[in-house]
Amino acid sequence: MATVAEDRLFGKSIKRREDPRFITGRGQYVDDVKLPGMTYAAFVRSPHPHAVIKGIDASAARQVPGVIAVYTGEDVKVGGLPCGWMLPDIKVPPRPALASGKVRYVGEPVAIVVAESVYAAKDGAEAVRVDYQPLKATVNPKSAHDKGAPKLFDDIPDNQCFYWTIGDKAATEAAFKSAATVVRQPLVNQRLIPNAMEPRACVASFSPAMGDLTLWVTSQNPHVHRLLMAAFILGIPETKMRVIAPDVGGGFGSKIFVYNEEVVACWASKTLGRPVKWTAERRESFMNDAHGRDHVTEAEMAFDRDGKITGLRVKTHAALGAYLSTFAPLIPSFLYGPLLSGVYKIPVIFCEVWGMLTTTAPVDAYRGAGRPEATYLVERLMDRAADQLGVDPTELRRRNFIPKFTDGTPYQTPVAFAYDSGDYEPALRRALQMAGYDALRKEQELGRKQGRLIGIGVTTYIEACGPAPSAVAGSLGAGAGLWESGQVRVHPTGAVSVYTGSHSHGQGHETTFAQLVADELGIPMEQIDIVHGDTAQIPFGMGTYGSRSACVGGSAIFRSLEKVKEKGRKIAAHLLEAGEQDLVFEKGAWSVKGAPGKSKAWGEVALMAYLAHNIPQGMEPGLEATSFYDPTNFTFPFGAHVAVVEIDPDTGHVKILRYVAVDDVGRVINPMIVDGMVHGGIAQGVGQALWEHGIYGEDGQLVTGSMMDYALPKADQLPMYETDRTVTPSPVNPLGVKGAGETGTIASTPTIVNAVIDALSGQGVTHLDMPLTAEKVWKAAAASRK
Amino acid sequence: MKLPVKMTINGQTTSHEVEPRLLLVHYIRENVGLTGTHVGCDTSQCGACTILMNGQAVKACNLFAVQADGASIQTIEGLAKNGELHPIQQGFWEKHGLQCGFCTPGMIMAACQLLERYPTPTEEQIRHQLEGNLCRCTGYHNIVKAIQWAAETMAAKK
Ligand code: FES
Ligand code: FES
């Protein structure tokens, strides 16, 4: 029987319930799945960025011991991979599961080899001979637009997939005409390669007896996987397909999308009648996981005589890669342009985006997805402007902050978004206080005299979480709804199973969601089970991305909790022979106001709901509820970050001396978990600022195709982070939460770059494009010495 | 061609006939069925595959199974004794040293060696010793804290 929980858990740093399995090596990731009769797949991939396939000879491969079958694009009869977000006049190139006719990026899968072991499959893949006629590559989103650039698709002129704008062009032009000061800065937001530590993997198992297909896949959204694969690609009823995303080792966006490999593995399993497993080698992840960012931008900001922003104008060429990944068009459009107002009052904005096809891996959402690109742009411009106007960068930000709005009235920006609630100055104040800003500036001054290059970087940012509502998303081109489901099933003992459409791949939902349930029902966490990641158990769900799990997924669960409590209250009132309005629910029991002796515990009520011996007349037995929660708006977390860096003048090496993060993510369910997400987010953003860069050579080869060449942040390169929060609840959802998964990444990139440029400001450096490697920084510093 | 290998893993003897090219990490995961040791890369950068071989932390993707013939191996599954977590495991739990958990077994095994070398490590020593282990989730802050917690707890137990 359910017992009574002690205290409210909302806001407490409860240790994670998922950890015992991970720290003992008992996590169950996709590559840990082993089925009887299992076969193993390897893919033959294009070594060319762009080529015509003249012929494929698999005869030698078929002779390799252990090889069962080899299939090419001609054999695999499935639909192409769909794109789930449309924009006006968008040209969507067909994306076959295996290349047919032509290859368009290095690593594009051309054939699958299925064998009795992984090693045999790889031997087989080596033995497949493909005859290519190489064509020219085009890797840069700007030059792909040039007349004469190699064309990826005959019917897509100039490689332009879409042209998209937001804002008021004429008004913005007028603002620039009358500006007192204009700040201009071309910016490159370089290509990043996500690198979740667990490589992507899948196990497809078709049961010839039952005719159904089970797919274990590294997915952030198993239902989306099932819907797209069943309805659009494989052409089988959803009822015949089950998708399981078990423990998943990080996603950061890269595991939202439907990829070639799982599609072909499903088809092969169906064809062979045996389970097929594929696990990416890291080099395959580099080549075929969707990449992030890759913008080439020109940005200008106009100011009046008082240093107030009067307009912002942006032109961006965004690389989309060779094909459109699942949500590719969304990222450089609606997740980018609408963020350009930042935390500032900007009367007019105009933003143009050219979505460009390039002979590279597809580009899609990567932690932050559009929002880091926008924030980097705005925050770099603010620092450039402060420099140009001769004011302190914190002062310029303060001057332009949107004034506090916390009464439920949203702030309407000129680029579609209506911010839910915000109070920006206190976060900046707190961050500067923690950092000791004034003292830092003095120290910097002193250091300069001694030849030290110390820099202080500040960013005040906004973020948009939990994209919503569905109707608006649909009108903007979404091929999916953006609600979430949450089912609460109360068992006769009063214990509770929660089925959530959100998916945890590191976020700790088994803990945070249980905290919500424990609070609402007054039962201990041990009696609460959070189930996620299995389409056979969960009604439907949209999954986890865009920092939406707490604000949308959590709210859906909350709604269901209200519903089961509502029914429970009716049963309790019936049992206590009291009016519902006379009952209070406290510490897991209903009691009659003023008669504390008369009470019914949660467990007793649950049991009666199932015994149904004595429930109100006409009431159905049982106690469970399902909710589909569709928020009315995004939520808008914000904050202020400060970094202190020192550059070694002899080597150009950037050392981070301090990192202060003050975030406002609304109300916080589990501070320990939120801090952890902020830490990890900061590290990823620092990675972009200083080290990470997915480089394609002009010849179209992926130069940074392994962890030896692509510099992921390491423990000895990062400091301890100093974190704090302000709390401005979101009026959008019943929990008041805003979302915390991406804030760190969004804020830390410009914070670090601002700090490095600040350190070099004495040398006359006003901007460097990322990553700010030692070599680049040294050269910039050295140039000024000449 | 297959060769016999025999080793002790977490105190249990295992023996198989394997291809000479079989990596030790695949042997542990596939032949022995201990899937706590992970594979995160193909260039020996990530450390997800870290185990103890004859008491030394090694990357199991960097060795052939036949090279471990006769060795005594410890993996993450063998670290807790009689249902009691090792202080390093406990430290990761207490200090939220993990999110997705994929790097965690390797981190914990690397930390075993780290604390043997430096029973009272400085923050700098911890960070330097973890240079061969990548984590994409935590930003390392809480991993450092977890190892500090373990060092203190182990010192107090002595
Ligand atoms: S798998 Fe061994 S170091 Fe990455
Ligand atoms: S916890 Fe996810 S990689 Fe370290």
Side-chain angles (χ1 to χ4, degrees):
Chain A
M1 185 80 42
T3 51
V4 174
E6 295 297 296
D7 267 324
R8 272 189 83 74
L9 302 180
F10 198 116
K12 291 219 168 67
S13 289
I14 308 283
K15 276 198 298 180
R16 296 206 319 173
R17 306 200 304 157
E18 37 277 89
D19 287 1
R21 70 177 183 270
F22 294 129
I23 55 180
T24 55
R26 292 190 175 81
Q28 277 296 305
Y29 300 89
V30 174
D31 191 50
D32 302 338
V33 173
K34 209 168 187 177
L35 302 176
M38 194 154 82
T39 66
Y40 300 82
F43 285 86
V44 178
R45 294 177 187 276
S46 169
H48 297 286
H50 196 191
V52 176
I53 301 172
K54 297 181 69 184
I56 301 176
D57 178 5
S59 54
R62 292 200 174 92
Q63 302 307 314
V64 170
V67 167
I68 301 163
V70 182
Y71 303 113
T72 70
E74 305 287 301
D75 306 312
V76 179
K77 298 271 179 284
V78 295
L81 276 58
C83 174
W85 201 287
M86 292 299 121
L87 295 173
D89 298 322
I90 189 170
K91 307 216 168 43
V92 181
R95 186 183 182 195
L98 288 177
S100 69
K102 232 178 157 193
V103 288
R104 293 182 178 85
Y105 63 96
V106 168
E108 182 172 357
V110 171
I112 181 175
V113 178
V114 184
E116 298 291 351
S117 74
V118 180
Y119 285 62
K122 292 189 177 170
D123 287 345
E126 293 260 298
V128 174
R129 295 277 158 265
V130 187
D131 187 10
Y132 294 103
Q133 182 195 329
L135 301 169
K136 287 222 157 49
T138 182
V139 299
N140 178 295
K142 191 93 190 283
S143 49
H145 212 190
D146 293 346
K147 289 273 171 256
K151 267 174 68 170
L152 276 85
F153 295 89
D154 292 338
D155 51 354
I156 302 185
D158 304 323
N159 298 313
Q160 183 181 313
C161 178
F162 66 80
Y163 168 72
W164 177 90
T165 67
I166 194 164
D168 186 333
K169 186 175 185 188
T172 307
E173 268 165 19
F176 275 84
K177 278 209 185 90
S178 57
T181 307
V182 173
V183 181
R184 288 199 177 84
Q185 184 61 57
L187 295 161
V188 175
N189 203 299
Q190 83 273 30
R191 178 179 287 254
L192 300 180
I193 305 180
N195 277 296
M197 288 315 299
E198 178 206 25
R200 284 194 303 111
C202 64
V203 177
S205 179
F206 178 75
S207 154
M210 304 301 293
D212 42 58
L213 177 68
T214 304
L215 174 69
W216 286 260
V217 63
T218 47
S219 173
Q220 299 177 215
N221 31 236
H223 287 87
V224 175
H225 252 87
R226 184 184 64 173
L227 174 64
L228 292 179
M229 291 186 69
F232 296 97
I233 305 170
L234 300 172
I236 57 174
E238 268 176 293
T239 51
K240 288 288 176 196
M241 185 168 184
R242 174 181 183 186
V243 176
I244 302 171
D247 287 329
V248 171
F252 314 114
S254 67
K255 292 172 181 167
I256 298 172
F257 323 118
V258 174
Y259 288 92
N260 329 55
E261 293 92 350
E262 54 252 30
V263 167
V264 181
C266 284
W267 179 87
S269 174
K270 211 170 162 198
T271 305
L272 294 167
R274 290 176 67 179
V276 177
K277 178 194 258 189
W278 170 76
T279 303
E281 287 182 35
R282 179 60 59 182
R283 58 178 196 95
E284 296 183 283
S285 314
F286 273 99
M287 291 188 288
N288 207 44
D289 286 10
H291 295 175
R293 322 277 195 258
D294 206 352
H295 286 195
V296 177
T297 293
E298 280 167 46
E300 303 170 277
M301 205 178 246
F303 289 84
D304 68 11
R305 243 163 271 290
D306 304 324
K308 293 241 169 114
I309 309 168
T310 55
L312 173 63
R313 193 153 60 184
V314 175
K315 291 176 198 258
T316 292
H317 280 78
L320 301 168
Y323 303 95
L324 294 183
S325 172
T326 316
F327 292 109
L330 165 69
I331 314 308
S333 58
F334 287 106
L335 287 184
Y336 173 63
L339 261 290
L340 286 170
S341 194
V343 285
Y344 311 114
K345 229 180 148 110
I346 306 184
V348 286
I349 297 175
F350 185 61
C351 169
E352 296 171 277
V353 180
W354 290 265
M356 299 303 304
L357 298 169
T358 50
T359 53
T360 65
V363 181
D364 206 325
Y366 167 63
R367 200 171 194 173
R371 294 153 287 170
E373 294 91 315
T375 305
Y376 178 71
L377 181 159
V378 172
E379 290 303 302
R380 281 298 300 132
L381 282 180
M382 289 306 276
D383 259 35
R384 289 281 280 116
D387 183 42
Q388 205 165 316
L389 297 168
V391 293
D392 186 275
T394 61
E395 164 56 22
L396 186 68
R397 286 173 169 82
R398 277 204 175 96
R399 234 180 254 179
N400 284 285
F401 277 152
I402 297 161
K404 171 176 171 174
F405 59 106
T406 52
D407 62 351
T409 317
Y411 172 80
Q412 181 63 52
T413 72
V415 273
F417 275 161
Y419 297 164
D420 59 343
S421 59
D423 189 7
Y424 305 131
E425 204 280 332
L428 176 62
R429 197 184 331 133
R430 177 73 185 124
L432 296 179
Q433 179 198 16
M434 281 167 72
Y437 187 70
D438 296 331
L440 281 174
R441 284 287 177 209
K442 289 202 185 89
E443 201 183 312
Q444 179 186 35
E445 211 32 60
L446 210 68
R448 280 217 172 131
K449 294 200 179 105
Q450 301 157 352
R452 291 175 66 191
L453 299 175
I454 298 172
I456 304 154
V458 179
T459 279
T460 47
Y461 72 94
I462 193 143
E463 133 86 314
C465 297
S470 298
V472 171
S475 71
L476 300 179
L482 285 166
W483 43 267
E484 193 49 272
S485 74
Q487 184 177 56
V488 171
R489 192 173 290 172
V490 184
H491 302 286
T493 56
V496 170
S497 294
V498 174
Y499 302 84
T500 171
S502 297
H503 184 272
S504 179
H505 29 280
Q507 292 86 343
H509 297 164
E510 289 165 44
T511 305
T512 47
F513 287 166
Q515 287 178 248
L516 289 182
V517 179
D519 278 354
E520 283 315 302
L521 302 184
I523 58 174
M525 290 186 50
E526 296 73 56
Q527 293 171 15
I528 301 159
D529 200 23
I530 308 293
V531 183
H532 63 98
D534 182 355
T535 61
Q537 297 190 68
I538 294 138
F540 195 91
M542 298 311 300
T544 287
Y545 41 81
S547 304
R548 69 195 296 278
S549 298
C551 49
V552 191
S555 297
I557 295 171
F558 187 78
R559 285 276 166 83
S560 286
L561 290 169
E562 287 181 329
K563 289 179 193 168
V564 294
K565 263 173 88 174
E566 187 56 35
K567 183 166 178 184
R569 169 185 294 270
K570 288 196 165 61
I571 297 173
H574 179 78
L575 293 174
L576 292 165
E577 296 177 344
E580 273 182 65
Q581 68 287 352
D582 295 328
L583 294 191
V584 280
F585 186 72
E586 239 176 34
K587 298 208 156 115
W590 280 276
S591 53
V592 182
K593 269 182 230 157
K598 277 186 94 181
S599 81
K600 283 284 164 200
W602 172 253
E604 294 176 83
V605 170
L607 184 62
M608 186 51 73
Y610 285 91
L611 290 177
H613 296 166
N614 186 16
I615 56 177
Q617 193 142 43
M619 178 185 272
E620 287 181 10
L623 192 52
E624 62 175 63
T626 305
S627 300
F628 292 81
Y629 172 74
D630 195 359
T632 52
N633 191 0
F634 287 64
T635 56
F636 295 88
F638 58 88
H641 287 204
V642 180
V644 187
V645 303
E646 178 157 11
I647 294 169
D648 180 337
D650 294 330
T651 64
H653 176 82
V654 176
K655 188 172 162 69
I656 303 171
L657 304 178
R658 302 265 309 276
Y659 198 98
V660 175
V662 176
D663 299 292
D664 194 320
V665 297
R667 292 180 70 209
V668 169
I669 302 172
N670 185 320
M672 175 193 82
I673 287 178
V674 167
D675 282 341
M677 285 196 209
V678 169
H679 298 162
I682 292 171
Q684 268 173 331
V686 172
Q688 169 164 29
L690 297 181
W691 309 297
E692 296 184 35
H693 191 180
I695 302 173
Y696 283 94
E698 283 304 312
D699 60 0
Q701 290 296 329
L702 180 59
V703 179
T704 53
S706 81
M707 283 182 177
M708 287 195 290
D709 313 296
Y710 186 91
L712 293 166
K714 294 182 180 185
D716 61 351
Q717 297 171 308
L718 293 162
M720 297 309 260
Y721 316 105
E722 303 162 52
T723 57
D724 198 5
R725 272 184 283 278
T726 59
V727 179
T728 307
S730 172
V732 170
N733 59 66
L735 305 176
V737 298
K738 288 198 170 200
E742 296 160 296
T743 55
T745 312
I746 291 168
S748 67
T749 305
T751 305
I752 293 290
V753 173
N754 283 348
V756 173
I757 303 300
D758 183 53
L760 293 171
S761 61
Q763 331 292 112
V765 176
T766 55
H767 180 74
L768 293 172
D769 277 326
M770 303 182 288
L772 303 178
T773 57
E775 185 196 1
K776 200 179 278 178
V777 170
W778 182 84
K779 275 187 180 154
S784 78
R785 283 200 285 271
K786 279 200 200 115
Chain B
M1 185 187 62
K2 290 206 170 182
L3 294 175
V5 287
K6 194 171 166 189
M7 61 189 91
T8 318
I9 303 185
N10 303 330
Q12 305 244 328
T13 308
T14 65
S15 61
H16 293 83
E17 298 263 310
V18 301
E19 283 189 71
R21 63 173 174 168
L22 181 71
L23 295 178
L24 178 57
V25 69
H26 290 147
Y27 176 75
I28 293 169
R29 289 181 54 81
E30 300 296 326
N31 299 55
V32 185
L34 293 173
T35 55
T37 304
H38 295 153
V39 181
C41 74
D42 42 16
T43 49
S44 66
Q45 248 81 35
C46 77
C49 61
T50 307
I51 57 163
L52 298 182
M53 181 161 123
N54 302 326
Q56 295 280 318
V58 298
K59 291 181 172 176
C61 71
N62 247 344
L63 287 161
F64 295 115
V66 291
Q67 289 176 286
D69 191 34
S72 166
I73 299 233
Q74 197 176 18
T75 70
I76 187 72
E77 288 94 338
L79 207 53
K81 293 278 179 290
N82 308 319
E84 200 181 314
L85 294 176
H86 186 282
I88 301 175
Q89 292 173 308
Q90 191 72 40
F92 272 73
W93 195 10
E94 296 293 334
K95 293 291 163 191
H96 188 33
L98 61 147
Q99 291 179 32
C100 78
F102 195 78
C103 72
T104 312
M107 285 284 177
I108 290 176
M109 299 316 283
C112 286
Q113 168 123 55
L114 188 166
L115 289 181
E116 209 176 281
R117 281 191 193 144
Y118 305 98
T120 51
T122 62
E123 184 198 329
E124 203 181 338
Q125 284 167 334
I126 294 174
R127 289 183 181 274
H128 183 65
Q129 291 287 309
L130 290 182
E131 207 245 9
N133 289 75
L134 295 174
C135 173
R136 197 58 157 161
C137 299
T138 63
Y140 303 104
H141 182 111
N142 284 342
I143 291 179
V144 173
K145 295 255 181 211
I147 294 172
Q148 287 170 335
W149 188 96
E152 281 159 29
T153 306
M154 286 160 79
K157 272 195 185 156
K158 277 208 186 114

